């Protein structure tokens, strides 16, 4: 599997599984606990037989002892299709020259895709780029991680593209990798709908260190997606900027969490494998291996 | 190069410093920084004041400062300098027979002369005798040594001031101040009606070194009194006066002047005085005051006096109400002085000192006392305290000097054009 510069990352996250945060809808057998009951050998509970149940699932021994028909139920497991929706707007091309945010976004997508793929989940990719949407449908076949990596590497962040319209076609588990500087409000609504449909949403909020702690020197801050937006970043305005940006991040996280979204703020100087383990870890526990 | 109005150049220097300060305190846009989160920066004027530690746009700053300096220099009336000391001295030396000790006069002049100075020699006329070159007073010193014995009897300050102005034109270039030292007897005869006005044309103080004047050494000639009165009251007064008056002839006629009197005046020589002093008809009973203006000062007499009629002439004495009490008009080398002061023929008035002082003033030579040095208090305007004359006000602008401001203004225009050109060149990549 040619994975280019992601080899070390994939080695680091090998064995990491990414369990679903709640029972998944039933479907093809997989690693995640499904909301349905199946016929697996392990016992879960009995249920009275109802018309229409498969007679083969009746516990005949119990029927013989109690003269009552019960169906023997077992926990069901299903796969969880995962789509990575990656923001490739110009704001991700920061810091200029090092592409810290974009690089981290790519590595997170590849690392998490590997974790999901290790759980036998189909992995798909949607890149919102200025020159068009790149889409990989969720697949479980071998080599899909390399395909994800190549698709990501072929994109250069530029322009400004809305993410919200791309949410509807995503798999049940949606991972949005973005800096939340685009259509944040519309995306929040789309994500809430996705969750309402039974989906699971993770938002990885990518933040550059230079955005958190801009240089003390005076400069004229220019928005890469809006050339008309120019503000003097001088010592007088710097503290105001830091406060307002912190308030924005807190508000975004609060609003998304209120909708049931799992929010992870990841700084661009965070090692990708650590971020992957953090994302895949269940709340209050460790990621399953 | 120096400036006739240096404050204008100082203004230009201050403006140039202002240009440099503006380049240090210039209001400019900070360098652009791509920041995706720029929207969170509080809104403010994008033109931030940045105080640079080093001037920005050095070339533009230099061009602007030079242009401002050139304009300031052009309006400061620049003149091309001549080498020499900052303070140059003009020595105006009286060289007449009135000077008692010419050797002392030479010494005083030599001491006063300095590097780059000039020597003006004057009697009744004046000339610039020498203008020193590089060595300290060499030319002027040579001119001093080569002065022949004076031949003119007296000196006049008015032509001296004219010659001094001419000398100043020749030495003021490149100097800061010009010092004028007048070495003269400053006798009453040195002053005339134009002296005060000509003195006012010298834009600084005058250092007056007074020389001893030649005394009247000729044997005293007794005044002649022509009178029919045996006991003329003037007779004893003249007897007391004889010891103090000069060598010029004096003839007092108590009656109408005759041909003999005219002949006497013709033969009496220069500056002789024929006093026509009629007798009083009746004894005056009313006290009156009269003042005579002599070269050595005025003399006033208050006594019972009668006013007599007078012909027209130059007033030499006045009554207390301003009317003429004595007049004179020239005749030949001397003059006829008509006295309209009637004195009592009885009494001791003519023996009193006030009358003698009045008589002394009235018998002075025609035109006033020649060798009487005036006290400094009578001519405060001549050597009034004050600064030395500024050379800038004395410099004669040459042709090159007149073209210099134009050259500087053209240079300023060229500098400003270059500044514009450089600014446009610097703007091209910005607009592209």
């Amino acid at each position: 599997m040619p994975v280019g510069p992601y080899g070390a990352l994939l080695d680091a996250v090998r064995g990491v599984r990414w369990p679903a945060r709640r029972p998944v809808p039933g479907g093809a057998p997989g690693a995640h606990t499904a909301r349905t009951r199946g016929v697996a050998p392990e016992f879960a509970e009995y249920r009275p037989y109802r018309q229409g149940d498969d007679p083969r699932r009746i516990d005949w021994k119990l029927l013989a002892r109690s003269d009552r028909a019960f169906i023997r139920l077992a926990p069901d497991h299903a796969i969880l299709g995962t789509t990575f929706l990656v923001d490739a707007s110009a704001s991700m091309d920061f810091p200029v020259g090092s592409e810290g945010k974009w690089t981290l976004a790519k590595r997170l997508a590849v690392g998490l895709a590997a974790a999901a793929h290790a759980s036998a989940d189909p992995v798909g990719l949607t890149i919102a780029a200025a020159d068009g949407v790149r889409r990989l449908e969720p697949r479980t076949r071998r080599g899909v991680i390399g395909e994800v990596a190549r698709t990501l590497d072929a994109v250069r962040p530029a322009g400004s593209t809305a993410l919200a319209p791309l949410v509807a076609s995503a798999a049940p588990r949606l991972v949005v990798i973005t800096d939340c500087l685009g259509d944040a409000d519309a995306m929040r609504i789309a994500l809430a709908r996705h969750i309402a449909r039974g989906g699971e949403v993770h938002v990885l909020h990518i933040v550059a260190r230079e955005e958190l702690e801009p240089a003390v020197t005076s400069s004229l801050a220019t928005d890469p997606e809006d050339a008309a937006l120019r503000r003097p970043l001088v010592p007088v305005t710097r503290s105001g900027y830091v406060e307002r940006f912190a308030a924005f991040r807190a508000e975004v996280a609060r609003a998304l969490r209120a909708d049931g979204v799992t929010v992870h703020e990841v700084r661009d100087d965070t090692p990708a494998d650590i971020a992957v383990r953090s994302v895949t870890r269940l709340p209050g526990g460790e990621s399953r291996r | 190069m120096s400036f006739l109005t240096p404050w204008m150049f100082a203004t230009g220097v201050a403006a140039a410093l202002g240009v440099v300060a503006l380049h240090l305190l210039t209001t400019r846009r900070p360098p652009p920084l791509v920041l995706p989160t720029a929207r969170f920066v509080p809104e403010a004027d994008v033109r931030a004041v940045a105080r640079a530690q080093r001037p920005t746009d050095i070339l533009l700053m230099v061009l602007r400062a030079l242009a401002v300096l050139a304009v300031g220099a052009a309006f400061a009336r620049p003149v091309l300098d001549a080498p020499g000391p900052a303070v140059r001295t003009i020595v105006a030396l009286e060289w007449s027979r009135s000077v008692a000790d010419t050797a002392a006069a030479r010494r005083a002049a030599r001491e006063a002369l300095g590097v780059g100075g000039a020597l003006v020699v004057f009697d009744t006329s004046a000339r610039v005798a020498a203008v020193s070159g590089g060595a300290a007073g060499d030319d002027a010193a040579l001119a001093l040594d080569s002065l022949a014995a004076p031949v003119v009897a007296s000196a006049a300050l008015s032509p001296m001031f004219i010659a001094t102005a001419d000398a100043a034109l020749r030495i003021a270039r490149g100097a800061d101040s010009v010092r004028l030292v007048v070495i003269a007897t400053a006798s009453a005869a040195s002053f005339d009606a134009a002296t005060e006005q000509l003195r006012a044309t010298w834009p600084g103080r005058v250092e007056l070194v007074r020389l001893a004047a030649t005394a009247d050494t000729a044997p005293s000639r007794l005044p002649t009194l022509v009178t029919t009165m045996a006991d003329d009251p003037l007779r004893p007064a003249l007897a007391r006066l004889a010891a103090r008056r000069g060598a010029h002839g004096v003839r007092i006629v108590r009656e109408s002047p005759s041909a003999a009197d005219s002949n006497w005046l013709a033969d009496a020589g220069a500056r002789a005085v024929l006093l026509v002093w009629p007798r009083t008809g009746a004894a005056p009973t009313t006290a009156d005051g009269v003042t005579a203006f002599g070269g050595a000062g005025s003399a006033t007499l208050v006594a019972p006096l009668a006013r007599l009629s007078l012909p027209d002439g130059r007033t030499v004495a006045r009554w207390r109400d301003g009317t003429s009490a004595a007049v004179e008009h020239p005749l030949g080398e001397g003059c006829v002085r008509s006295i309209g002061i009637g004195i009592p023929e009885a009494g001791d008035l003519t023996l009193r000192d006030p009358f003698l002082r009045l008589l002394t003033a009235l018998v002075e030579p025609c035109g006033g006392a020649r060798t009487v040095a005036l006290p400094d208090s009578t001519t405060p305007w001549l050597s009034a305290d004050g600064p030395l004359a500024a050379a800038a006000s004395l410099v004669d602008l040459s042709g090159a000097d007149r073209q210099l401001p134009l050259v500087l203004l053209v240079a300023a225009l060229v500098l400003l054009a270059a500044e514009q050109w450089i600014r446009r060149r610097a703007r091209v990549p910005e607009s592209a």
Side-chain angles (χ1 to χ4, degrees):
Chain A
M1 181 176 64
V3 290
Y6 304 101
L9 171 64
L10 294 176
D11 287 341
V13 300
R14 178 169 296 136
V16 174
R17 302 292 183 269
W18 192 4
R21 298 203 163 218
R22 55 187 176 180
V24 300
H32 308 286
T33 303
R35 286 196 285 271
T36 59
R37 295 298 184 193
V39 291
E42 60 268 42
F43 169 78
E45 62 180 334
Y46 288 111
R47 176 173 63 76
Y49 173 79
R50 291 194 297 255
Q51 190 173 2
D53 286 340
D54 186 355
R56 289 175 295 180
R57 295 172 62 189
I58 295 175
D59 189 333
W60 296 106
K61 291 181 180 176
L62 185 59
L63 177 62
R65 286 199 301 271
S66 63
D67 199 21
R68 295 175 63 185
F70 284 89
I71 300 293
R72 183 185 182 90
L73 295 178
D76 198 4
H77 290 82
I79 59 171
L80 180 61
T82 302
T83 297
F84 292 90
L85 175 56
V86 183
D87 179 5
S89 63
S91 62
M92 293 293 287
D93 184 13
F94 184 80
V96 177
S98 68
E99 294 184 347
K101 286 166 71 175
W102 178 241
T103 302
L104 177 62
K106 289 191 297 182
R107 293 173 65 79
L108 285 175
V110 171
L112 288 171
H117 192 253
S119 302
D121 291 331
V123 174
L125 176 67
T126 302
I127 303 174
D131 55 351
V133 176
R134 315 285 173 83
R135 200 187 300 269
L136 286 178
E137 293 302 328
R139 297 188 181 95
T140 54
R141 68 184 180 190
R142 291 182 62 192
V144 69
I145 302 303
E147 207 171 338
V148 166
R150 284 192 296 275
T151 306
L152 285 167
D153 286 339
V155 173
R156 288 275 304 170
S160 179
T161 306
L163 295 175
L166 306 174
V167 172
S169 59
R173 180 158 62 186
L174 172 63
V175 181
V176 183
I177 304 174
T178 178
D179 55 9
C180 297
L181 297 175
D183 53 339
D185 292 337
M187 189 179 70
R188 180 187 162 197
I189 295 171
L191 295 179
R193 286 178 180 159
H194 190 77
I195 291 171
R197 288 197 299 268
E200 177 181 324
V201 177
H202 296 258
V203 170
L204 275 56
H205 188 174
I206 309 295
V207 180
R209 184 177 53 81
E210 287 82 353
E211 291 173 335
L212 295 168
E213 301 164 4
V216 180
T217 55
S218 300
S219 56
L220 184 62
T222 306
D223 193 325
E225 298 182 31
D226 182 5
L229 199 157
R230 292 182 175 186
R231 305 266 173 89
L233 185 59
V234 293
V236 177
T237 60
R238 187 175 182 274
S239 59
Y241 160 80
V242 172
E243 289 176 6
R244 292 171 69 171
F245 186 42
F248 165 77
R249 299 196 320 274
E251 173 58 20
V252 166
R254 187 201 62 76
L256 289 173
R257 286 182 181 128
D259 291 337
V261 175
T262 304
V263 181
H264 307 270
E265 182 177 297
V266 186
R267 287 173 51 145
D268 65 344
D269 53 0
T270 305
D273 58 321
I274 293 176
V276 167
R277 291 179 186 278
S278 173
V279 171
T280 57
R281 186 177 300 126
L282 285 173
E286 294 185 355
S287 59
R288 297 174 189 164
R289 298 179 64 100
Chain B
M1 186 170 69
S2 58
F3 302 101
L4 300 185
T5 52
W7 65 269
M8 283 295 293
F9 184 69
T11 304
V13 171
L17 290 176
V19 168
V20 175
L22 284 176
H23 275 259
L24 279 170
L25 302 173
T26 183
T27 301
R28 51 178 305 195
R29 285 190 172 195
L33 168 70
V34 174
L35 185 67
T37 51
R39 71 190 72 171
F40 303 111
V41 178
E43 289 190 40
D45 188 0
V46 295
R47 294 174 64 85
V49 176
R51 187 172 57 191
Q53 294 191 348
R54 296 178 61 190
T56 56
D57 303 321
I58 299 286
L59 184 58
L60 285 177
M61 183 194 72
V62 169
L63 289 175
R64 289 167 180 164
L66 285 177
V68 170
L69 280 176
V71 171
F75 283 101
R77 301 176 62 201
V79 292
L80 297 173
D81 282 346
V87 177
R88 298 176 191 175
T89 304
I90 298 175
V91 174
L93 175 64
E94 178 180 339
W95 200 247
S96 70
R97 283 192 284 125
S98 297
V99 177
D101 187 354
T102 54
R106 272 197 177 100
R107 281 197 302 274
R110 189 170 287 112
E111 289 172 3
L113 275 170
V115 178
L119 175 66
V120 173
V121 177
F122 71 99
D123 41 40
T124 52
S125 63
R127 62 189 172 86
V128 181
V131 175
S132 292
D138 279 349
D139 298 343
L142 289 174
L144 265 178
D145 295 338
S146 62
L147 283 175
V151 292
V152 178
S154 60
L157 292 171
S158 295
M160 180 274 294
F161 279 115
I162 295 171
T164 297
D166 181 34
L169 291 178
R170 296 160 64 175
I171 67 167
R173 178 180 297 279
D176 178 63
S177 307
V178 177
R179 171 177 172 233
L180 174 58
V181 179
V182 176
I183 302 172
T185 59
S187 63
S190 303
F191 297 85
D192 55 32
T195 305
E196 189 168 357
Q197 292 182 18
L198 288 169
R199 163 64 183 88
T201 62
W202 181 257
R205 73 166 182 257
V206 175
E207 297 175 22
L208 179 61
V209 178
R210 303 197 74 144
L211 297 173
T214 307
D216 281 330
T217 55
S220 179
R221 293 164 64 184
L222 290 174
T224 307
L225 178 63
V226 180
T227 179
T228 56
M229 292 176 65
D231 52 352
D232 195 304
L234 286 179
R235 195 180 303 278
L238 288 173
R240 295 187 60 192
L241 181 69
R244 64 177 70 180
R245 59 168 304 278
H248 64 289
V250 177
R251 182 182 176 93
I252 301 175
V253 180
R254 298 287 278 170
E255 311 295 339
S256 297
S258 61
D261 299 322
S262 299
N263 290 335
W264 174 88
L265 187 58
D267 297 337
R271 311 180 72 200
V273 180
L274 176 62
L275 239 68
V276 179
W277 196 330
R279 294 170 54 187
T280 310
T285 57
T286 306
D288 209 340
V290 64
T291 301
F293 310 102
S298 59
T300 300
L301 173 66
V302 178
L305 301 170
R307 298 192 180 193
L308 308 178
S309 58
L310 289 171
D312 293 335
R314 186 176 78 86
T315 300
V316 295
R318 292 185 186 276
W319 295 105
R320 59 185 170 83
D321 58 2
T323 56
S324 297
V327 298
E328 73 173 22
H329 60 271
L331 184 64
E333 292 184 283
C335 65
V336 177
R337 194 167 289 162
S338 302
I339 309 300
I341 306 168
I343 55 175
E345 296 182 354
D348 61 351
L349 173 66
T350 57
L351 297 177
R352 295 177 186 169
D353 284 345
F355 183 82
L356 291 176
R357 286 196 289 271
L358 178 73
L359 185 59
T360 301
L362 290 175
V363 300
E364 276 190 354
C366 292
R370 290 275 172 181
T371 57
V372 176
L374 293 180
D376 289 340
S377 59
T378 60
T379 56
W381 45 269
L382 177 61
S383 55
D385 290 338
L388 296 176
S393 59
L394 299 169
V395 171
D396 181 29
L397 294 179
S398 65
D401 293 329
R402 291 192 184 91
Q403 289 178 356
L404 208 49
L406 186 62
V407 171
L408 287 168
L409 285 176
V410 170
L413 285 176
V414 170
L415 288 168
L416 290 176
E419 187 260 0
Q420 283 283 331
W421 182 70
I422 291 173
R423 281 175 58 192
R424 287 184 182 175
R425 272 192 61 189
R427 217 178 284 153
V428 168
E430 199 174 291
S431 58

